[in-house]
Amino acid sequence: MIEAQTTRPASAATRVVDVLLVSFNSAHLIDELRKTLDQAEREGFTLRVLAVDNASSDGSGEKMRTGLPCEVFIQNTQNVGFGRANNQLLEHVRSDYVLLLNTDAFMAPGTLGKSLAYMDAHPRCGILGVRLTHADGTLQPSRRSFPTPLTAFLRRTGLQRLLPVRGARLDSEEDHDQEAECDWVTGCYYLVRRAVLDEIGLFDPRFFLYCEEVDHCRRARDAGWSVAYLPSATVVHLGGESAKSVSALSQERQISVIQTESELLYTRKHFGLAGVWAHLALVLLGDGILAAKDLLKGRAASARKQFQCSRVTFQLARTTSFGSQPTR
């Protein structure tokens, strides 16, 4: 399924950081990605670039292999998902710190240095995320709370305003201006201490896409490590770039199914079968509430569509044996 090759040894002259990259139809981003990596090296770091291409159809693999200073490059013959692709690189990790970086995430000057300085100053911090922005500079929430069936229901229906349950408020309402420990951070810029990987590993392979970093942060915190958010370091994250090569409608449907499946798998893993049943009941109740709101506003067509979430969720509950096994 894969072929690996070694192309360049890392220098020991400066501090070394392993950078894990996974590409999927992101050839148009490789040149800009190279600039952000070169910038970090000019700031005094040696980056060991470990890369996987997930069976791209746009030449991403070849462009990544030839356009980046990859010490390890793996070409997959099928798309194995984000988490599993990163796991393929785990055996090649050598440095004390490992940075998972999306191909559409670009570090502002000083970001890596500030991140490592924070980790050095906080020896029990196992995972660090930073301030994310869109290309226009607007905030992209990255400091988040662990989801539960109840908090997911409250957020989806807007009832978190009436029931202030811990972890229910929207990610955009979190304080993104202050350093803080948090539940989890998004995986587009995900700095992990090597000791964490030695203790708990990287991503659970049952997650094809979505929830892998939520689960990983939860396992790290359960093992006694903290997860932190650092606003003084910034990354521009474009988001959704890989999807542009696929039909928008089919991609939207596919991502909805993948995300729903991951939510079921995560719920079963951390809340058991009872949690899955609670999740299913709250999804159905949430659809009913949203449909009722639409009907009150005279949007009958929209009200009918609300139950699409329930249909997809209940179908996947059956095919995943109520969240106990993945379908891909």
Side-chain angles (χ1 to χ4, degrees):
M1 182 181 70
I2 60 174
E3 64 178 58
Q5 67 180 48
T6 299
T7 60
R8 190 196 71 159
S11 168
T14 57
R15 188 166 189 179
V16 181
V17 178
D18 287 341
V19 179
L20 275 55
L21 303 173
V22 175
S23 67
F24 176 67
N25 292 342
S26 53
H28 61 296
L29 299 170
I30 302 303
D31 291 340
E32 193 65 28
L33 179 61
R34 176 62 189 260
K35 291 178 184 178
T36 198
L37 298 177
D38 287 347
Q39 170 189 280
E41 293 211 320
R42 287 195 300 270
E43 293 171 358
F45 301 99
T46 293
L47 305 183
R48 295 183 65 246
V49 177
L50 315 175
V52 177
D53 179 70
N54 254 339
S56 296
S57 59
D58 68 343
S60 293
E62 181 62 18
K63 189 160 187 179
M64 177 175 278
R65 186 183 65 81
T66 59
L68 297 179
C70 298
E71 181 163 328
V72 172
F73 176 76
I74 296 173
Q75 177 63 64
N76 282 341
T77 57
Q78 63 186 47
N79 186 352
V80 300
F82 177 76
R84 297 170 197 162
N86 275 292
N87 286 351
Q88 290 177 270
L89 297 169
L90 189 56
E91 66 177 293
H92 302 288
V93 165
R94 301 288 181 270
S95 305
D96 292 335
Y97 292 106
V98 179
L99 175 63
L100 278 65
L101 186 67
N102 277 20
T103 54
D104 62 353
F106 311 116
M107 295 180 283
T111 289
L112 184 56
K114 292 174 184 177
S115 301
L116 293 174
Y118 182 94
M119 297 286 268
D120 289 343
H122 299 81
R124 290 308 299 172
C125 178
I127 299 168
L128 181 70
V130 300
R131 185 181 187 88
L132 302 181
T133 70
H134 298 284
D136 62 2
T138 56
L139 178 70
Q140 192 176 121
S142 52
R143 171 187 169 184
R144 303 189 175 185
S145 300
F146 289 133
T148 69
L150 177 59
T151 59
F153 163 77
L154 294 175
R155 287 185 178 200
R156 182 163 174 256
T157 57
L159 292 175
Q160 82 282 354
R161 301 182 187 91
L162 302 177
L163 298 173
V165 175
R166 183 189 180 279
R169 69 179 182 175
L170 301 179
D171 298 325
S172 58
E173 296 174 336
E174 297 285 353
D175 185 351
H176 282 76
D177 294 326
Q178 299 295 323
E179 292 181 8
E181 293 186 9
C182 58
D183 285 349
W184 68 280
V185 291
T186 53
C188 63
Y189 180 98
Y190 194 83
L191 185 63
V192 189
R193 198 180 294 272
R194 168 75 180 278
V196 173
L197 301 181
D198 290 341
E199 183 173 354
I200 68 169
L202 192 49
F203 294 133
D204 186 329
R206 79 187 72 187
F207 300 109
F208 180 86
L209 186 65
Y210 298 110
C211 293
E212 59 278 297
E213 71 266 63
V214 190
D215 171 73
H216 191 248
C217 287
R218 192 177 194 115
R219 288 188 286 123
R221 284 168 58 93
D222 288 346
W225 297 96
S226 66
V227 177
Y229 165 77
L230 182 66
S232 62
T234 304
V235 165
V236 175
H237 179 223
L238 303 184
E241 287 297 303
S242 296
K244 290 182 178 179
S245 62
V246 186
S247 165
L249 182 60
S250 64
Q251 184 71 11
E252 181 181 349
R253 289 174 176 169
Q254 183 183 17
I255 284 178
S256 175
V257 170
I258 294 171
Q259 185 170 6
T260 300
E261 177 174 326
S262 292
E263 289 169 355
L264 283 167
L265 295 169
Y266 177 86
T267 301
R268 179 62 181 265
K269 179 175 181 179
H270 294 287
F271 300 100
L273 182 58
V276 173
W277 280 111
H279 175 69
L280 293 173
L282 288 169
V283 166
L284 187 60
L285 178 60
D287 278 338
I289 291 172
L290 293 173
K293 288 181 179 179
D294 282 334
L295 287 174
L296 289 173
K297 295 177 180 179
R299 301 192 298 238
S302 180
R304 288 193 295 270
K305 291 180 180 179
Q306 290 296 349
F307 288 99
Q308 177 64 21
C309 180
S310 292
R311 286 195 293 271
V312 171
T313 303
F314 277 83
Q315 288 169 0
L316 286 169
R318 290 194 297 270
T319 56
T320 61
S321 297
F322 292 92
S324 63
Q325 59 187 28
T327 63
R328 62 190 74 219

